[in-house]
Amino acid sequence: MRSFYKVYVAKKHYLCTRMITDWLPTSVKETEARGWKELDVILFSGDAYVDHPSFGAAVIGRVLEAAGYRVAIVPQPNWRDDGRDFRKLGKPRLFFGISPGAMDSMVNHYTAARRRRSDDAYTPDGKAGMRPDMPSIVYSEMIRTFWPDSPIILGGIEASLRRLSYYDYWEDRLRPSLLTECKADVIAYGMGEKTMLEIARRLDEGLGVESLKDIPQTVVRMPSAPRREEVDEEKDVVLWSYEDCLHDKKKQADNFRHIEEESNKWHAARIWQQTGNVAVLVNEPWPPLTTEEVDASFDLPYTRMPHPRYNGKRIPAYEMIRHSVCMHRGCFGGCAFCTISAHQGKFIASRSKESILREVEQVTKMPDFKGYISDLGGPSANMYRMHGKDMKLCEKCKKPSCCAPVICPNLNVDHRPLLEIYKAVDAMPGVKKSFVGSGVRYDLVLHEGKNGEFKEGGLRYAEELIARHVSGRLKVAPEHTSEATLKIMRKPSFSLFHRFKALFDEVNRRAGLKQQIIPYFISSHPGSTEIDMAELAAETKRLDFKLEQVQDFTPTPMTVSTEIYYTGYHPYTLEPIFCAHSPEEKLRQRQWFFWYQPENRVPLTKALQRAGRLDLVTKLFGGLGHGPGTSQQRVGNCVPKGNSQTWFGKQGDRKKPNRYDRGNRSNPRKG
């Protein structure tokens, strides 16, 4: 079969003509078109198949293909019928792989109020219901039903963040490692290229599943864990058992400190946890990828387009990144509510300038490209090529953040390599302008270093970014104004936001621009009280903001914030921390974002009167008369429906999903 396909992203949105063999096969007909009679690996994906380096199943498929293996992808298989999608390609020679999706399925499906979403950004036309809750469990059970003897390797962010006992916010209970609840043989956690290649190599040599027990960056079952007092803690860390944690939340909190520290070490120990009559063993991670290894993954022959099976349909997640370029992986910010470092790692793995420019050239050749690169970014846009000055110190460090409580004196925050990339991209034929759509860490921009070594580079970067690479709005994330809450969040003092906003305004003034800075904030984060939120409202009003890009804290697995929310204790001090839990408490905190709405004035005024904070009544409502006020600028755009929060309105009301929410932090691409 040598037929060509006209490829469309959406109706009347013609891209190009391609052969079906340009994509990895998804059906028997497509495998026959390649002349294959047998497959080595079959990957089941919870997402639509988009052949792009931002989609995990495509990356793993292309990496295995480059190593000589015959790989197929079954995107969004139907698990409700007789299982024909799980049987149609037969049994692979080596193993089945499961990639539940680029976004955690539970965050994808439910709001912070635990209400079902009406859409799915990783599905054609945003249609909801094309994947089950927890595809890791459902897909592995289906595969095991039809192919009981075939190895099953589970990957993706959903499994990665559930590799040990974790709090499930949607069921409001502590659950054991996902490996004990699903039928998979191995979990490949984190970014999986090296792990999956090593698994394929061993199985290809004729070794059995038992040979996979010692591969770095895997989670496996073992008969039992060693005794805590008998191990060398530099090589093995034995956690409290799942049963111990069920009966004592403080032990779960104590466990998490070890989990996070080992996950962020260069040379980590193995982690053990007994669960019932089996033990879960988390093998140490691989060393950080080199530039050459990252380049090799991004330089694979992706079509950068959805599979032709979706012709005429729109995949919202693809629309967001279609003309963007990711320049690095990892994040050393260590924000307490964020899962990026738990999945991608703390150490930055940057691409070479040449690899980035090759991808930009690919983008410029896309028929629908109009000259604008939508994002030159990464998990945090301005961490490219940043690392320790003395890497030997970094190899001994176990801190999860290089930015909190202060920026590490060993951290090189030189922004000049980024300026070189921006200049080179903008000079390429066909590029009219490149934007930075990912979030920017302004504490890094403002960090001067010892004797001001980074001051000039930071100011040059800020001026270049603000004057030439902002599409009208620059996203930054102060998250809160309370110093106590910011400390728990591992975020910088709000005073730095004041400094950065002043710089932003000055650059705009000199350049004759009228751009907006978009600050993101979180309510109901552990440590945040209602008065803290009232002070946030007063402070942002003083800055002339009307907040819309906001969210209620959503506990997701494997974050410090979630452990505090569930246990009530900070994992690093075991001291109790206040948390808003009930819908009523969360509503009261969230209302302060919208203090300017007329219906909120009376209840918020009464709340401040009860708290004896008449000063805040004056700051918020004293000069507004009877209306909501008109002087504040409206910050940010409305985002698509189906985002992570619901605006409760008055008690008992049932309203549509809140259009102002900015989503969640589980996406491995965005910081």
Side-chain angles (χ1 to χ4, degrees):
M1 184 177 73
R2 303 288 293 175
S3 58
F4 287 82
Y5 283 73
K6 287 188 175 181
V7 182
Y8 297 80
V9 171
K11 292 177 180 178
K12 299 182 180 180
H13 196 166
Y14 172 66
L15 276 178
C16 62
T17 302
R18 287 262 193 178
M19 292 181 60
I20 192 62
T21 51
D22 290 340
W23 285 265
L24 295 172
T26 65
S27 67
V28 173
K29 189 175 181 180
E30 291 169 38
T31 60
E32 291 174 349
R34 286 178 171 242
W36 294 350
K37 296 181 179 180
E38 182 183 39
L39 291 164
D40 296 320
V41 178
I42 299 174
L43 302 176
F44 288 91
S45 173
D47 294 337
Y49 172 31
V50 179
D51 193 38
H52 188 284
S54 291
F55 290 75
V59 172
I60 298 303
R62 288 298 187 182
V63 167
L64 291 170
E65 177 194 45
Y69 298 106
R70 293 162 295 183
V71 185
I73 295 178
V74 182
Q76 299 187 316
N78 188 344
W79 75 99
R80 297 186 180 97
D81 61 10
D82 59 1
R84 65 191 65 183
D85 282 347
F86 294 89
R87 295 182 283 119
K88 66 182 182 181
L89 296 180
K91 179 181 177 180
R93 185 173 66 89
L94 299 180
F95 65 86
F96 287 102
I98 298 175
S99 174
M103 185 177 179
D104 187 285
S105 69
M106 301 306 285
V107 177
N108 183 291
H109 284 172
Y110 297 95
T111 70
R114 299 186 177 97
R115 294 180 183 174
R116 191 85 183 187
R117 299 185 192 277
S118 59
D119 59 3
D120 182 340
Y122 292 86
T123 297
D125 290 336
K127 184 179 178 181
M130 296 299 289
R131 79 181 86 210
D133 290 352
M134 300 291 285
S136 301
I137 295 175
V138 177
Y139 291 175
S140 62
E141 288 180 347
M142 295 291 287
I143 294 170
R144 189 63 76 208
T145 298
F146 299 113
W147 314 106
D149 300 325
S150 187
I152 301 175
I153 312 300
L154 176 60
I157 195 166
E158 179 172 283
S160 186
L161 303 183
R162 291 168 170 81
R163 53 189 184 256
L164 291 159
S165 62
Y166 67 97
Y167 172 64
D168 187 316
Y169 171 69
W170 297 273
E171 292 193 359
D172 192 22
R173 68 182 179 97
L174 190 72
R175 294 178 68 163
S177 165
L178 183 60
L179 194 61
T180 68
E181 293 193 313
C182 75
K183 303 296 185 181
D185 296 289
V186 177
I187 289 176
Y189 69 88
M191 308 305 281
E193 292 103 323
K194 293 179 74 171
T195 307
M196 299 300 282
L197 281 173
E198 180 61 15
I199 289 172
R201 184 188 68 79
R202 293 193 186 186
L203 295 177
D204 196 21
E205 290 178 353
L207 302 175
V209 172
E210 64 280 356
S211 71
L212 311 179
K213 301 288 186 183
D214 63 344
I215 295 177
Q217 223 158 292
T218 58
V219 186
V220 296
R221 298 185 193 86
M222 300 294 280
S224 62
R227 294 172 62 87
R228 293 166 61 89
E229 61 273 14
E230 294 175 350
V231 301
D232 179 350
E233 291 189 359
E234 290 188 2
K235 298 180 179 179
D236 291 277
V237 172
V238 181
L239 304 177
W240 297 105
S241 72
Y242 169 64
E243 288 75 19
D244 286 336
C245 296
L246 274 178
H247 294 101
D248 186 347
K249 290 183 177 181
K250 189 173 282 190
K251 290 182 177 177
Q252 172 68 15
D254 183 49
N255 274 357
F256 187 78
R257 175 175 183 170
H258 298 291
I259 294 170
E260 186 178 47
E261 286 180 344
E262 297 304 324
S263 298
N264 285 288
K265 282 183 180 178
W266 192 292
H267 303 291
R270 301 187 302 175
I271 303 175
W272 297 79
Q273 187 178 38
Q274 192 73 32
T275 301
N277 59 0
V278 300
V280 173
L281 170 61
V282 179
N283 285 303
E284 72 283 1
W286 295 98
L289 294 180
T290 64
T291 293
E292 292 73 21
E293 288 172 327
V294 180
D295 284 355
S297 180
F298 278 90
D299 289 347
L300 293 169
Y302 304 98
T303 64
R304 295 185 58 87
M305 291 182 292
H307 189 277
R309 66 193 292 149
Y310 310 120
N311 268 355
K313 296 181 179 179
R314 177 178 177 272
I315 300 174
Y318 172 70
E319 294 292 305
M320 293 174 61
I321 52 87
R322 188 169 76 244
H323 298 144
S324 70
V325 176
C326 180
M327 300 194 298
H328 70 271
R329 291 179 181 171
C331 180
F332 52 72
C335 298
F337 47 80
C338 184
T339 62
I340 292 173
S341 63
H343 186 65
Q344 293 194 12
K346 177 178 74 172
F347 297 99
I348 303 301
S350 297
R351 299 171 64 182
S352 67
K353 177 180 176 181
E354 293 73 21
S355 175
I356 293 169
L357 295 182
R358 281 195 294 270
E359 186 173 358
V360 171
E361 185 179 9
Q362 276 188 286
V363 174
T364 63
K365 293 178 179 178
M366 296 176 70
D368 65 329
F369 182 68
K370 306 299 182 184
Y372 301 97
I373 301 294
S374 62
D375 185 20
L376 288 173
S380 289
N382 58 322
M383 287 187 182
Y384 177 73
R385 297 255 317 253
M386 292 188 179
H387 51 76
K389 301 172 188 175
D390 183 351
M391 291 305 296
K392 291 183 179 178
L393 294 178
C394 294
E395 290 189 28
K396 298 176 183 178
C397 179
K398 64 179 182 180
K399 289 183 61 178
S401 173
C402 301
C403 298
V406 296
I407 293 177
C408 177
N410 188 46
L411 183 63
N412 180 348
V413 297
D414 188 359
H415 283 79
R416 287 177 297 180
L418 261 177
L419 292 172
E420 293 177 10
I421 296 291
Y422 294 168
K423 183 177 179 180
V425 170
D426 287 349
M428 291 188 68
V431 175
K432 297 178 182 177
K433 196 165 186 177
S434 61
F435 297 108
V436 176
S438 302
V440 172
R441 290 282 307 213
Y442 55 80
D443 52 342
L444 298 178
V445 176
L446 298 174
H447 182 61
E448 298 182 2
K450 186 178 181 181
N451 300 322
E453 60 184 317
F454 303 123
K455 182 177 180 180
E456 181 184 353
L459 288 176
R460 282 178 54 203
Y461 174 77
E463 291 178 359
E464 174 73 16
L465 171 74
I466 296 166
R468 296 179 177 84
H469 300 282
V470 175
S471 59
R473 296 174 172 84
L474 177 65
K475 298 186 291 186
V476 294
E479 308 293 7
H480 216 291
T481 59
S482 161
E483 294 299 316
T485 305
L486 288 169
K487 183 177 179 181
I488 295 171
M489 288 178 162
R490 296 180 182 152
K491 295 291 290 187
S493 168
F494 194 68
S495 62
L496 284 182
F497 176 77
H498 283 276
R499 287 178 54 194
F500 186 74
K501 184 179 184 300
L503 176 60
F504 181 86
D505 292 341
E506 173 61 18
V507 173
N508 274 291
R509 185 190 65 77
R510 292 201 307 264
L513 300 171
K514 294 182 180 180
Q515 300 181 127
Q516 290 181 317
I517 190 168
I518 306 177
Y520 290 158
F521 291 95
I522 297 177
S523 61
S524 301
H525 188 276
S528 174
T529 66
E530 190 175 350
I531 290 301
D532 290 332
M533 292 300 300
E535 291 175 340
L536 183 154
E539 180 67 12
T540 52
K541 180 200 171 187
R542 188 172 73 83
L543 289 169
D544 211 27
F545 286 129
K546 269 189 177 180
L547 300 180
E548 294 180 1
Q549 298 289 324
V550 297
Q551 73 176 84
D552 191 19
F553 169 65
T554 306
T556 54
M558 212 168 172
T559 69
V560 174
S561 302
T562 297
E563 296 301 320
I564 298 174
Y565 178 89
Y566 168 66
T567 67
Y569 301 101
H570 197 294
Y572 286 77
T573 65
L574 296 183
E575 295 294 324
I577 302 288
F578 168 78
C579 298
H581 281 92
S582 71
E584 294 75 20
E585 289 176 310
K586 288 175 173 287
L587 169 62
R588 288 198 297 269
Q589 289 212 20
R590 186 175 178 80
Q591 280 180 317
W592 293 102
F593 286 140
F594 308 106
W595 61 270
Y596 52 84
Q597 293 180 347
E599 63 268 25
N600 290 333
R601 178 169 181 165
V602 171
L604 296 184
T605 300
K606 289 181 178 179
L608 291 174
Q609 290 172 340
R610 287 193 299 270
R613 294 300 304 269
L614 299 183
D615 59 316
L616 291 176
V617 175
T618 302
K619 288 179 180 178
L620 287 172
F621 305 114
L624 294 181
H626 298 289
T630 58
S631 65
Q632 290 74 26
Q633 61 174 305
R634 189 177 184 87
V635 180
N637 269 342
C638 301
V639 299
K641 65 179 181 178
N643 31 70
S644 71
Q645 301 308 320
T646 297
W647 170 240
F648 291 94
K650 297 179 181 179
Q651 187 64 27
D653 285 355
R654 294 183 62 85
K655 297 192 176 183
K656 294 181 179 180
N658 173 28
R659 62 193 178 100
Y660 300 127
D661 176 56
R662 64 181 172 103
N664 65 83
R665 293 297 175 86
S666 290
N667 187 326
R669 174 69 193 280
K670 300 294 181 184

